[in-house]
Amino acid sequence: MLRVLIAGVTGWTGAPLARAVQDSPDLELAAGVARRGGEYPSVAEALAAVQADVVVDYTSAAAVRGNVDAALAAGAHVVVGSSGLSESDYAEIDTAARAAGRGVVAAGNFSVLAATLLHAATVASRHVSHWEVIDYGSSGKPDVPSGTSRELAERLGHAEPADHDADLIGPPEARGASVAGTHIHSLRLPGYSLSTDVILATAHERLVVRHEAGASAEPYIAGTLLAIRRVPEVTGVIRGLDRLLF
């Protein structure tokens, strides 16, 4: 039986995930971490008091790196559902995880359908050279781009620039942010939860792949449980739920 520590246990995803872990016969909820309402206020304090095989992080961009470092230092595997980690962060985490002989499974979105978007876009990008990403989030979402869009951009890599990207007329910010060579346009408006479009194009056709998240955390629970069960098989960092699905 895997003992699971959930950081962000009182949150939108953390709370239903804790219930799902408790309802799973092969998993045990070791403890919950939250600034308010958790059994422990920090991952480090929790791991000093209880044993955990897997630490799941659904906290914030400000807290996630410290939580991952603390988990690996304590000998636990890690599932990362929080956004905010950069490519260089993951490179450093991969080195630490391999040194510890532990696994880290990280995804900008643990929804199976979001993972399918990532997989489909990656396959399509092998055959075209132009694409861009549109990232939709609520007006209260502070991190840009979203973890889903950042992960997608880093997977796709460098797209061919538009004809006039080198000599634009107007503010270059209008072309969005370049992440690993892919342009991302982040919208932050009321009424959105989280949606991602990737648009791939040739001179004569376009492919639009879209994932739209609803108001419930339920789509993320099944994917996170899958990652919890599979992360002990991993050494180092695996980014993207699709790596486990396909």
Side-chain angles (χ1 to χ4, degrees):
M1 181 174 290
L2 290 174
R3 294 161 297 187
V4 182
L5 173 69
I6 299 176
V9 72
T10 60
W12 186 69
T13 306
L17 177 62
R19 293 191 293 270
V21 167
Q22 290 174 316
D23 291 341
S24 299
D26 59 330
L27 303 176
E28 176 186 338
L29 184 62
V33 172
R35 288 178 298 174
R36 291 182 297 275
E39 296 168 80
Y40 299 93
S42 73
V43 168
E45 290 176 76
L47 290 174
V50 301
Q51 288 187 316
D53 302 300
V54 180
V55 173
V56 181
D57 190 281
Y58 271 110
T59 58
S60 68
V64 57
R65 178 61 195 269
N67 291 341
V68 173
D69 291 344
L72 291 175
H77 302 282
V78 191
V79 173
V80 180
S82 303
S83 58
L85 293 174
S86 66
E87 197 167 4
S88 62
D89 284 323
Y90 278 116
E92 293 169 1
I93 290 168
D94 182 66
T95 299
R98 291 182 184 279
R102 293 295 181 265
V104 178
V105 175
N109 192 322
F110 273 101
S111 155
V112 170
L113 294 185
T116 303
L117 173 143
L118 185 61
H119 178 71
T122 303
V123 171
S125 70
R126 298 170 189 162
H127 305 283
V128 300
S129 56
H130 292 270
W131 58 80
E132 298 194 12
V133 174
I134 305 175
D135 163 39
Y136 304 84
S138 72
S139 59
K141 183 174 178 60
D143 54 313
V144 290
S146 68
T148 305
S149 294
R150 180 180 292 277
E151 185 176 307
L152 175 60
E154 291 175 350
R155 182 78 64 84
L156 296 177
H158 284 267
E160 288 290 325
D163 293 343
H164 292 287
D165 272 352
D167 56 350
L168 293 170
I169 299 171
E173 295 85 359
R175 291 287 294 118
S178 179
V179 177
T182 288
H183 279 291
I184 302 181
H185 311 266
S186 290
L187 280 67
R188 294 293 179 265
L189 295 168
Y192 281 103
S193 176
L194 179 66
S195 300
T196 306
D197 293 350
V198 56
I199 305 168
L200 304 103
T202 70
H204 304 289
E205 61 181 348
R206 289 165 301 283
L207 172 66
V208 180
V209 188
R210 165 175 285 192
H211 175 258
E212 295 185 350
S216 169
E218 189 62 31
Y220 313 116
I221 303 305
T224 306
L225 292 175
L226 171 66
I228 290 169
R229 293 180 172 114
R230 294 283 300 278
V231 70
E233 305 167 13
V234 174
T235 300
V237 172
I238 287 181
R239 294 186 64 188
L241 180 63
D242 64 304
R243 303 287 199 194
L244 300 179
L245 293 174
F246 300 101

